Every structure is written in structure tokens, then in C-alpha cells.
Amino acid sequence: MGHPDKEQFLDRFLGSALGTFVGDALGEPVEGWPHRAIYGRFGLLDTMVRGEGRYTDDTQMMIGILETLIEKGRFDPAICAGKFQENFDPTRGYGRRIFGVVERIRQGVPWNQVGTDSFGNGGAMRIAPIGCFYYRDLQALKENAIMSARITHNHPEGLAGAVAQATAVGLALQYGLSNEPVEPEKFLDSITARVTDIDKGFAESLNAIKSMSASFTSCHRGSMIEIIEAIAGRYRLSLRAIESVPAAIGAFLLTTCFKDAVVLAVNLGGDTDTIGAMAGAIAGAYYGYGQIPEAWVIRLENGAKGRDYVISCVKEILL
Ligand SMILES: [Mg+2]
């Protein structure tokens, strides 16, 4: 790609991809649990309780996007649809509608006719590589984020969620590379400006994070528990993008290190693997791979298309 700070860029692209992976694996065992049930069972959940660090659909589809960027040197939705279908493993926790999408791709239906009207967070959960690849041009980032989401999700909320998440990753990478502290209000305004034309309600949904970031930083730094209660009290943390994407962005903006962002995200309850994956993608782009706790990285599954494969994909994209 030709980049002035190649090592720094590699560290953050790896951070975003592996951040998706660790957040996904950490959140998966408690998917669907309410936040208080997680707390009651684990306190603050911060280890891979099932041990094997297995990823789900979020990471599997992200791998499809990485492979597309390698093959074409840019994003291409037709190639990506094929990768989604090739990689599809039905035991990885896919949403019901994706089974039909994958079947239509297999039958040769064009990529822009296989998706459904889903308002879920599936377009957002896998989008880290697009946020990193296009971070210098937020308009190109938006266009490619929309195309990548449309393969599966056509509802405006699903598309807005993908654009919001990709923009958050891109901005986090910009801030991270320039070693600048993130100003939550500016960060959220940039995202809002890029989603309002897609879905007004989505832009409004982000506002609650803005108020929380103002109250938690100006009065006192809230404890993890207070922030969890605030986010879980405001958002229904379902797979609906308009609920879960702002929560993931909040988990990044209301914490001060990679580990806290992801721990906060998976302890919110609800769609925990995806909220963890999205918070990990943003936090990883900002803090870098070097800041992901090693205890998590070494637990990630590492067979075919596991941890080392994801690392090699990112390296290949940057060659
Ligand atoms: Mg999942």
C-alpha cells in the first residue's frame, strides 16, 4: 500500500483484526446473557472461560474481507461474497438469514441480490479490515463499507451500523498513528456526519454515548460497573445495529486501554461476541496489536485460518 509509517500501520491493522478475534472469542460463551447474569457468575468477565478461544461468524466473515483485499488489492463485493460462501462453517453461530444468503451465493446469484432487509449488526461486526484499509479516505471508506454490508444487509440501520463501525475504526487508526488522544465529542460528530443520510435514527442513537462521555469524563472517571450500567440501561443490546454498534463505540470511548474497552464490551451482556468484536476492532486500531493482552492472544484458536493465518493475511495486504 505504500505507507510512511509502515510498522506503526501494521501494528494497528493487526490490532484491529486480532481485536475483532479476541473480542469475539471472549464474548461468545456469554452471548445472550443479561449483564447482571454475567457479573453474578464471573464478576467482571476478563478471561476466555471456555479456554479454546474459538471464533464465531464475526471473525470468519472478517477473514473473508481480508482475503478479498489480498486477492484484489482493494475491496470487491463479488469476490467477497464468494469468500463468505467458501469460508462458511454453520457451527460458527451465524444468524438464521445468513444460511439463505450463503445458499444464494452458492447458486450464483449476484452479490447485490443475495442479501436480506436485516437491520442486524452483521455488516458492522466484520468490517475492521475496511476501516483500516481505507482510513485515509473516509469517503472511499464509506462507499466500501456500504458495499460490503449490502452483500448480507440492506436495511438502512444495518448499513448505517456498518458505516459507523468502519468510520470508528478508521478514525481510531488516524488518532492512533498520530499519537493523539481521542476527543469523544469530535469522534462521535465525525461518525454522525457520515451516517445521517443513511439513517437519521442511527445518528440519534449515537447521542447517548456523547452525553455519557461528557458526564463520565468531566465529573469523574466512572468505574467499569457504572459505565456498564449506563450503557446497558440505555441500549437494548440485541443484534440490532442501532443498539449494539453505539454500545461498542462507547466501550472504546469510555475506557483508556485496549483491555478495558473489550472487557467493558463483553460485560454489557446481550450480543456479547459481536459487541466485543466491534469494540476490539476500534480499540485495536487505536492502541495497536502490542497492547492486546498476551494472555488472550495465546489462547486464540490457531488451526487452519486461525490466529497465525489472520496475522499473515494482514501482513500480505500491507506488502
Ligand atoms: Mg458471532
Side-chain angles (χ1 to χ4, degrees):
M1 285 178 78
H3 193 276
D5 268 314
K6 203 162 169 187
E7 284 304 305
Q8 290 290 318
F9 184 41
L10 174 62
D11 182 53
R12 280 158 175 99
F13 201 143
L14 283 173
S16 193
L18 275 295
T20 301
F21 197 155
V22 293
D24 181 7
L26 210 62
E28 188 275 333
V30 291
E31 185 180 1
W33 295 30
H35 68 285
R36 286 183 188 143
I38 300 173
Y39 193 76
R41 172 72 178 79
F42 299 105
L44 275 179
L45 172 65
D46 66 356
T47 54
M48 290 190 198
V49 290
R50 267 191 207 144
E52 73 267 40
R54 187 167 191 262
Y55 63 71
T56 74
D57 54 342
D58 309 57
T59 303
Q60 186 155 73
M61 295 186 101
M62 177 194 74
I63 290 170
I65 296 179
L66 289 171
E67 292 170 340
T68 302
L69 293 171
I70 292 171
E71 191 166 318
K72 294 291 282 190
R74 63 177 167 80
F75 183 71
D76 181 294
I79 301 283
C80 188
K83 301 290 182 193
F84 286 168
Q85 186 259 318
E86 274 168 45
N87 289 336
F88 180 70
D89 168 356
T91 70
R92 299 268 179 184
Y94 282 88
R96 196 174 36 83
R97 290 172 175 223
I98 297 298
F99 285 73
V101 171
V102 167
E103 180 54 25
R104 287 188 286 284
I105 296 169
R106 201 189 58 76
Q107 290 166 357
V109 178
W111 72 272
N112 55 358
Q113 293 168 35
V114 293
T116 73
D117 64 347
S118 169
F119 55 47
N121 51 27
M125 70 185 187
R126 61 190 184 225
I127 212 158
I130 290 181
C132 293
F133 192 84
Y134 293 103
Y135 83 98
R136 279 179 290 189
D137 178 351
L138 294 181
Q139 187 54 37
L141 179 150
K142 178 175 174 174
E143 287 159 14
N144 284 282
I146 290 172
M147 271 196 289
S148 73
R150 267 200 200 288
I151 301 169
T152 51
H153 292 65
N154 281 303
H155 191 286
E157 288 179 16
L159 299 175
V163 171
Q165 172 66 13
T167 305
V169 169
L171 289 171
L173 185 49
Q174 286 179 10
Y175 277 103
L177 285 174
S178 56
N179 272 313
E180 270 180 71
V182 173
E183 293 169 55
E185 192 158 326
K186 248 177 80 182
F187 192 91
L188 289 162
D189 285 343
S190 301
I191 298 172
T192 304
R194 286 173 177 86
V195 298
T196 309
D197 65 321
I198 305 173
D199 190 80
K200 253 198 151 59
F202 193 96
E204 281 156 22
S205 180
L206 283 167
N207 278 334
I209 298 298
K210 201 189 251 187
S211 337
M212 282 178 219
S213 75
S215 65
F216 282 121
T217 49
S218 62
C219 310
H220 61 295
R221 280 218 46 78
S223 70
M224 292 283 266
I225 306 294
E226 282 176 280
I227 301 170
I228 289 167
E229 288 290 343
I231 296 179
R234 166 59 182 79
Y235 296 100
R236 287 193 68 244
L237 297 161
S238 63
L239 51 71
R240 191 170 172 182
I242 200 170
E243 307 281 345
S244 47
V245 176
I249 294 171
F252 167 64
L253 291 176
L254 300 171
T255 52
T256 52
C257 66
F258 179 88
K259 184 177 181 184
D260 284 356
V262 174
V263 168
L264 182 73
V266 301
N267 283 277
L268 290 171
D271 195 8
T272 48
D273 58 324
T274 294
I275 300 170
M278 295 190 294
I282 305 166
Y286 182 66
Y287 298 108
Y289 179 51
Q291 295 298 309
I292 302 181
E294 205 189 337
W296 291 352
V297 174
I298 57 174
R299 296 287 278 278
L300 298 176
E301 69 171 283
N302 200 23
K305 300 203 177 181
R307 181 189 65 219
D308 289 349
Y309 179 73
V310 170
I311 293 171
S312 73
C313 283
V314 173
K315 288 184 172 165
E316 207 171 326
I317 291 168
L318 267 59
L319 275 182

